[in-house]
Amino acid sequence: MSSEGTCSRLQRALEECHRRIPQGPGRDSACRHLNRALANCLVSIACPHEFEAVRTLCSSAGTALKRHQCQQAQLSLSLCLSSFQQSETP
């Protein structure tokens, strides 16, 4: 299944979760994993290389070099996502 198809499936599941569970802490808790999965899916489509770098470099603690590389990867991902936000503004 394509990434877009996976994201669509996650979006429908999240919408269903919101529809079934009343607003409040219970919904927040019950739907959290779907919300996070959808966010990760969308980010991985928008900025695949940067997302993968963050996933790889920031997955665990490590040496000072790895922590620095993680911070650099996070900055690159932030800049990539920022470029999408700027292109969306009228």
Side-chain angles (χ1 to χ4, degrees):
M1 178 178 279
S2 70
S3 297
E4 291 86 357
T6 300
C7 290
S8 295
R9 186 173 46 85
L10 287 168
Q11 182 177 357
R12 285 191 300 276
L14 181 59
E15 289 168 354
E16 179 66 16
C17 187
H18 277 249
R19 187 184 68 73
R20 289 181 321 157
I21 301 173
Q23 186 174 2
R27 178 197 286 173
D28 295 345
S29 178
C31 302
R32 180 176 293 122
H33 69 286
L34 291 169
N35 191 29
R36 182 176 179 93
L38 177 58
N40 283 338
C41 187
L42 294 172
V43 170
S44 73
I45 290 171
C47 303
H49 302 295
E50 294 85 354
F51 178 79
E52 184 61 25
V54 168
R55 192 183 69 74
T56 301
L57 294 168
C58 302
S59 62
S60 63
T63 64
L65 175 61
K66 185 175 179 188
R67 288 191 301 274
H68 177 73
Q69 289 171 329
C70 170
Q71 290 172 339
Q72 291 300 112
Q74 289 172 329
L75 178 59
S76 294
L77 179 58
S78 179
L79 291 172
C80 179
L81 292 172
S82 179
S83 71
F84 278 92
Q85 289 176 320
Q86 292 174 0
S87 68
E88 294 293 322
T89 57

